[in-house]
Amino acid sequence: MEQSRNEVELCGVISAPPSFSHENHGVKFYSVPLYVERLSGQSDTLLILLHAPLPPMVKEGARLRVMGQLRSFNNKSGCGSRLVLTVYAMTFELWDGDPVNRIILKGSLCKPPILRRTPLGRSICDVMLAVGRRYGRADYLPVIIWGQLAQTVSRKKVGDILGIEGRFQSRVYTKVVDGIPQQRTAYEVSVMHLLEDPSPN
């Protein structure tokens, strides 16, 4: 049975010029912000990781379709460690269709699910999903689940396999550091559906 799955499709507009991210084994990588509208009228600005050389089409204002995987790493360059999520682009092309934001993940729970309620009384469950990749590595991805699905997932235990389909989203919030408010952006996966494996006979 497949234990891990990590597939992302994003279609949106590049909202700023590419910026150098890092170099790995002699290959340079660039971070590109992709602006993706939601049906609700809200929007997400999501970081895409592209490797050099970048084609001329990758520029501010271009409409791009990206297929890849959601990756995580701890950024320890600031105060304390911070989980950073980016979409590693495996393929990309110019796009003139509607915005798309779709992600499919399958992995194991690496922390107990946290069930809570919003101020309006809606159930929400926070999950940290470990999704394996090659060479024994894994990405640790924060996932939020709403409503009745939140109740279902809250009963799962550490180590259980969970498959989901949803949206990769950004959320701006304010954090007070030494009495000074700072605007920050959190990235997470919002679940639309649970993916169920067929039960063995």
Side-chain angles (χ1 to χ4, degrees), residues 182-194:
Q182 297 180 357
Q183 192 175 76
R184 298 187 177 183
T185 303
Y187 298 94
E188 60 205 2
V189 176
S190 180
V191 173
M192 310 298 182
H193 310 284
L194 298 183

Side-chain angles (χ1 to χ4, degrees), residues 104-122:
I104 294 176
L105 296 174
K106 186 177 182 183
S108 59
L109 301 186
C110 56
K111 293 182 179 179
I114 299 173
L115 182 66
R116 53 192 173 91
R117 290 189 180 276
T118 67
L120 296 177
R122 192 177 181 196

